[in-house]
Amino acid sequence: MKIAVCIKQVVSREWQVRVNDDKTWVRDQDAAWELNEPDAYALEEALRLKEKHGGEVVVVSAGPSRVTQVIREALARGADRAIHVNGDHLATADAFAAAEALAAALKDEQCDLILTGLQSDDQGFAQVGVMLAEHLGMAHSTIIMEVQVDGQHLKVKRELEGGWFQWIAMPLPAVLTIQSGINQLRYATLKGIMAAKKKEVKVVVAAAASAARQRIVSIYVPEKTKETRMIDGTPAEAAAELVRVLREDARVF
Amino acid sequence: MIFVIAEQKDGTLNRASWEAVVAAQQLGGPITIVVPGASVAGSASELAAADVAGVIALEHDALSAYTPDGFVAALAALITAESPSHVVLPHTYQTRDFAPKLAARLKAPLAADCVGVKAYEGGQAFVRLMFQGKVNADVVLEGEGPHIVTFQIGAFRVDAVKKGSAAAVIRQVAAEVDRSAIRQTPEAPFREAKQAVDLSQAERIVSVGRGIKGEEHIAIAKELADALHAELAASRPICDAGWLPMERQVGSSGQTVAPKLYLALGISGAIQHVVGMKGTRTIVAINKDAEAPIFELADYGIVGDLFEVVPAMIAALKA
Ligand SMILES: Cc1cc2nc3c(=O)[nH]c(=O)nc-3n(C[C@H](O)[C@H](O)[C@H](O)COP(=O)(O)OP(=O)(O)OC[C@H]3O[C@@H](n4cnc5c(N)ncnc54)[C@H](O)[C@@H]3O)c2cc1C
Ligand SMILES: Nc1ncnc2c1ncn2[C@@H]1O[C@H](COP(=O)(O)O)[C@@H](O)[C@H]1O
């Protein structure tokens, strides 16, 4: 079974988001980067499916040169090879353009399954995987918490709101968007890191994107609407004051 | 014409559909509500009470159970025939599943999970959260096709819906769906084994997020919970990691709680978490990042290291 996993590099959760001067993006020149969290789960799921059914795991990332960091990480965790769709404009591309770039890289790969994360931690479109399915004419399902493959048949457990789930059957090939928590992640071993150095990374230059469909006109820190009483002091002082106000003002115990 | 796509299940409309109607009414201009399904006459007549130009009951047997292939086929055909300027949907899990495919098929722009609308250069900008809710972005949609917009649940208030003076005209439209082109076969929804803890009844909750760092530290949160006679809960990553059972997860894919006190320890305040606890009377956040979105919601906040503040709270409670 041939499985592709779309992986996105995003600013790390620990990085303090700072808006740039013209307020259209963040000052990511000095950002720390990491693999988008649900994509790590998608990769792990692909590796487990390969262990069970055999085949190949190809990771694909669209973005500027810096995304080789997450490509190397995915190869070290066990992906067999990688495709890097290289283009500076992909760093801030909208979902349509990202899906187009990924589709161009994957259309001749004849994948049985393409896994993506359900949402990116930066722009958070929750669109790219589903659009990719449409571009490639493949069936899809989203927010997946379990994957079962039996020959050409696929059965997935889809998460619904409020703790409900649903099983859905569909044929291969298919695109699935994977929810965090579907499995327990493995991390790269030293052996994996060494092995990754010899794995193939195909770099393709991204075609010029079709016209943007979504344009950011302003990014800003949201205004506070609620009045929060911030309690200062040393940890001991703040804790004592908090306990007092909860008892005497808020009367919650 | 603005289309609103309403969502019903077995004849019952969800609240989020009404919120989408409110959003469309605030956009301004004539509105047609579309309700897809197998037999949706009941839902259509409920929706006709809104102050809108019309309601379309978009019906086909193949739409009785939701599938993305079926819904995209039916809606793409209708939208192509009627050319609305905007298509507004509630950002439910069902919308997430098909709206991007619909947009890609129509080559139309899609702004997802928006929380508001602003006037911008003669048109509109839509407000969405980015970078895990740490910043807002005003985005404008461009290019061919209707502008498709999905709104976050709770972004508009159902009670703000404008009712019409008379019921709107309902039009029955037979959906163009080729049953053989639907690839997904869904089974009935189910819940995992009955939950042993019902957090919805808890008066006080101490909830831990990724700031707790490791499974071994859950114990200090438990100690604080005991001192407050509170239940222990968590954000999703804690349950994903198996540090606490799934049944203690609060949020859109977990439990919804409304205690007197919700004490968030090392939780950033992502929207999917917040929807599960914003009905709380008193929200307290302890977080080392002064800009964490959870502080926008908190009644009381301490910016600090939970590993210093929590032991001090336990000591103060025992004093
Ligand atoms: C479809 C979907 C459904 C989802 N459903 C849910 C759901 O039901 N429930 C849910 O919770 N999430 C859900 N999520 C995930 C959600 O988007 C967030 O990723 C998640 O809530 C983040 O959890 P967190 O706040 O614990 O972690 P993070 O966002 O990583 O935040 C950790 C916080 O801890 C703080 N911190 C770190 N160290 C310390 C310290 N020593 N002292 C004090 N503070 C510290 C940091 O400043 C940060 O603010 C869902 C996501 C999707 C896409
Ligand atoms: N530039 C990209 N390169 C590779 N994969 C991507 C890219 N953008 C999005 N994806 C994939 O699509 C998923 C959903 O992203 P989004 O639609 O941006 O929320 C992510 O979790 C990734 O798996």
Side-chain angles (χ1 to χ4, degrees):
Chain A
M1 190 159 71
K2 186 159 164 186
I3 309 171
V5 186
C6 298
I7 57 171
K8 186 176 190 184
Q9 188 195 39
V10 295
V11 300
S12 100
R13 285 170 181 271
E14 299 292 313
W15 183 68
Q16 278 270 326
V17 173
R18 288 277 170 266
V19 174
N20 70 4
D21 290 340
D22 61 5
K23 293 196 166 44
T24 53
W25 194 243
V26 293
R27 295 166 61 104
D28 59 9
Q29 306 89 321
D30 57 351
W33 300 93
E34 66 188 15
L35 178 57
N36 188 43
E37 183 171 53
D39 306 4
Y41 287 94
L43 172 62
E44 177 65 40
E45 198 58 24
L47 295 173
R48 288 178 189 220
L49 287 167
K50 180 192 153 178
E51 280 160 11
K52 220 165 164 183
H53 303 281
E56 187 187 22
V57 174
V58 186
V59 292
V60 191
S61 190
S65 300
R66 61 168 158 75
V67 309
T68 43
Q69 175 223 354
V70 293
I71 289 176
R72 285 288 157 210
E73 187 182 329
L75 293 173
R77 287 197 202 187
D80 298 296
R81 62 187 172 90
I83 304 173
H84 174 189
V85 188
N86 197 334
D88 285 345
H89 64 283
L90 293 168
T92 54
D94 65 24
F96 199 94
E100 248 178 7
L102 294 169
L106 287 169
K107 71 175 187 322
D108 297 326
E109 287 281 344
Q110 311 295 340
C111 297
D112 299 295
L113 203 54
I114 299 176
L115 304 184
T116 74
L118 83 166
Q119 194 162 340
S120 55
D121 281 348
D122 51 6
Q123 295 214 62
F125 296 122
Q127 297 178 22
V128 170
V130 181
M131 288 183 159
L132 182 59
E134 175 67 12
H135 285 308
L136 297 174
M138 289 163 77
H140 83 275
S141 190
T142 56
I143 324 187
I144 299 307
M145 284 299 278
E146 199 174 326
V147 182
Q148 296 175 357
V149 177
D150 179 10
Q152 279 308 296
H153 299 283
L154 177 64
K155 213 175 150 186
V156 296
K157 185 170 146 192
R158 169 162 206 260
E159 184 177 300
L160 306 173
E161 280 109 340
W164 289 80
F165 297 92
Q166 181 176 39
W167 284 100
I168 299 171
M170 79 193 83
L172 294 173
V175 177
L176 302 175
T177 82
I178 301 295
Q179 168 68 298
S180 293
I182 184 176
N183 48 38
Q184 294 292 325
L185 300 176
R186 79 188 71 186
Y187 291 93
T189 58
L190 190 59
K191 194 163 149 253
I193 295 167
M194 297 311 290
K197 299 204 164 101
K198 297 194 206 78
K199 291 178 178 171
E200 180 203 346
V201 181
K202 183 167 123 192
V203 182
V204 294
V205 178
S210 58
R213 285 173 170 73
Q214 182 164 321
R215 185 161 56 89
I216 298 170
V217 294
S218 175
I219 287 190
Y220 50 94
V221 176
E223 243 170 71
K224 262 178 87 77
T225 46
K226 185 156 174 178
E227 195 149 337
T228 304
R229 178 153 168 231
M230 298 305 285
I231 301 173
D232 314 315
T234 64
E237 289 161 3
E241 174 63 3
L242 176 61
V243 168
R244 188 193 68 75
V245 296
L246 290 180
R247 243 190 215 129
E248 295 170 17
D249 302 348
R251 296 169 187 257
V252 288
F253 63 94
Chain B
M1 180 65 68
I2 300 174
F3 268 10
V4 174
I5 314 297
E7 186 173 319
Q8 58 83 37
K9 198 165 163 284
D10 303 325
T12 307
L13 287 164
N14 57 15
R15 279 173 68 83
S17 297
W18 288 105
E19 293 174 10
V21 172
V22 175
Q25 287 177 335
Q26 295 193 6
L27 271 175
I31 296 168
T32 298
I33 306 176
V34 180
V35 52
S39 57
V40 293
S43 298
S45 60
E46 263 182 72
L47 290 162
D51 182 17
V52 294
V55 176
I56 293 178
L58 185 64
E59 294 184 322
H60 194 291
D61 280 351
L63 301 179
S64 67
Y66 162 75
T67 60
D69 283 348
F71 271 52
V72 168
L75 289 168
L78 182 74
I79 290 168
T80 305
E82 311 251 337
S83 313
S85 62
H86 294 78
V87 178
V88 175
L89 305 102
H91 192 72
T92 60
Y93 281 33
Q94 182 167 305
T95 294
R96 291 175 67 114
D97 196 51
F98 79 83
K101 188 176 173 72
L102 179 66
R105 176 131 345 145
L106 298 168
K107 300 197 164 33
L110 162 60
D113 208 7
C114 299
V115 295
V117 187
K118 288 178 177 173
Y120 182 81
E121 291 184 351
Q124 306 94 12
F126 299 100
V127 186
R128 8 187 351 260
L129 277 58
M130 282 191 193
F131 294 91
Q132 299 279 296
K134 289 173 185 148
V135 289
N136 281 359
D138 296 346
V139 301
V140 295
L141 297 181
E142 294 174 329
E144 54 185 295
H147 291 185
I148 307 177
V149 190
T150 78
F151 285 101
Q152 191 170 91
I153 314 254
F156 291 86
R157 293 174 57 99
V158 173
D159 54 19
V161 71
K162 285 201 233 68
K163 296 285 170 99
S165 48
V169 181
I170 299 173
R171 190 152 51 104
Q172 215 105 9
V173 174
E176 288 172 38
V177 187
D178 171 6
R179 190 187 282 278
S180 66
I182 299 179
R183 292 165 290 189
Q184 299 88 358
T185 313
E187 291 178 15
F190 66 95
R191 287 195 126 177
E192 301 287 20
K194 182 111 187 69
Q195 307 194 314
V197 270
D198 182 6
L199 294 177
S200 69
Q201 299 305 314
E203 292 223 328
R204 284 170 294 273
I205 290 176
V206 169
S207 194
V208 289
R210 214 190 310 242
I212 200 81
K213 298 285 190 304
E215 185 168 16
E216 65 279 17
H217 302 306
I218 298 286
I220 89 157
K222 177 80 173 77
E223 200 183 330
L224 178 61
D226 288 344
L228 284 164
H229 303 286
E231 283 284 355
L232 198 57
S235 66
R236 180 164 182 134
I238 302 306
C239 302
D240 282 348
W243 299 349
L244 279 172
M246 276 295 215
E247 59 193 20
R248 293 197 180 265
Q249 178 183 315
V250 169
S252 66
S253 49
Q255 298 208 41
T256 301
V257 300
K260 280 201 252 174
L261 171 68
Y262 191 91
L263 187 77
L265 300 175
I267 292 179
S268 63
I271 179 64
Q272 295 89 357
H273 184 78
V274 163
V275 292
M277 46 68 80
K278 65 179 181 204
T280 299
R281 199 174 85 198
T282 302
I283 296 172
V284 181
I286 299 173
N287 196 304
K288 67 171 190 196
D289 176 8
E291 289 170 35
I294 190 78
F295 286 121
E296 278 164 45
L297 201 75
D299 298 282
Y300 300 99
I302 295 179
V303 176
D305 184 342
L306 75 90
F307 295 107
E308 293 176 7
V309 178
V310 171
M313 276 188 78
I314 295 168
L317 283 161
K318 289 187 175 161

